[in-house]
Amino acid sequence: MPVPIIITSANELIRVYPERIVYISSDGNYSVMVLHDQTEHLFSFNLSHFQQILERQMKAEASIFIRIGKSLIINRRYIYKINIGKQTLILSDMRIGQAFTLSASKEALRQLKNLVEQEIE
């Protein structure tokens, strides 16, 4: 049975199953966690702090999340399409018609593509 992670801030506490998190984006000192149903949660801490929360609570299982550049953590299980030329990453669970299109640098996408390719070898 999956175990939820708990994310707390000064004013709220959120319990969420890690497999429901599609990605976490950051803009400076704020992070937005986006869930599979398009629900968004805003936190007043940066992406590094978010990454520490995931690693501390999930231990080795935190490897389902991949940090891409300075402003993005994605759930590797949602990787659907990587287009380096267009600098886009499409995340989807491939079961429902819902997809999330994100922008990332060519280098970050190239590294992600190589990582995914290594997993299948």
Side-chain angles (χ1 to χ4, degrees):
M1 177 99 184
V3 177
I5 58 171
I6 297 171
I7 304 159
T8 62
S9 66
N11 297 320
E12 64 184 348
L13 177 144
I14 296 175
R15 289 180 63 217
V16 63
Y17 290 106
E19 63 271 12
R20 295 181 183 260
I21 301 170
V22 179
Y23 69 93
I24 303 149
S25 63
S26 172
D27 185 12
N29 290 328
Y30 292 90
S31 297
V32 177
M33 177 177 65
V34 180
L35 305 181
H36 73 293
D37 63 359
Q38 296 184 326
T39 304
E40 295 184 2
H41 297 282
L42 177 67
F43 298 96
S44 59
F45 45 77
N46 64 26
L47 209 57
S48 293
H49 183 73
F50 217 112
Q51 193 171 10
Q52 290 170 358
I53 291 169
L54 294 172
E55 290 169 356
R56 186 173 59 244
Q57 292 188 37
M58 295 179 67
K59 310 280 189 257
E61 292 175 23
S63 66
I64 68 164
F65 293 101
I66 304 170
R67 175 99 182 237
I68 300 177
K70 297 178 191 172
S71 61
L72 204 54
I73 294 174
I74 64 164
N75 184 330
R76 71 172 61 228
R77 295 179 182 154
Y78 285 89
I79 296 171
Y80 175 67
K81 182 177 181 181
I82 299 169
N83 188 318
I84 296 169
K86 292 183 180 178
Q87 293 183 257
T88 57
L89 170 64
I90 299 175
L91 302 175
S92 173
D93 70 357
M94 296 178 269
R95 288 181 293 201
I96 55 176
Q98 193 160 303
F100 301 85
T101 302
L102 307 174
S103 295
S105 73
K106 288 182 180 182
E107 183 55 32
L109 292 174
R110 196 172 286 114
Q111 290 175 5
L112 179 62
K113 181 177 178 284
N114 290 338
L115 181 71
V116 174
E117 288 172 340
Q118 288 172 5
E119 290 176 357
I120 59 173
E121 292 177 358

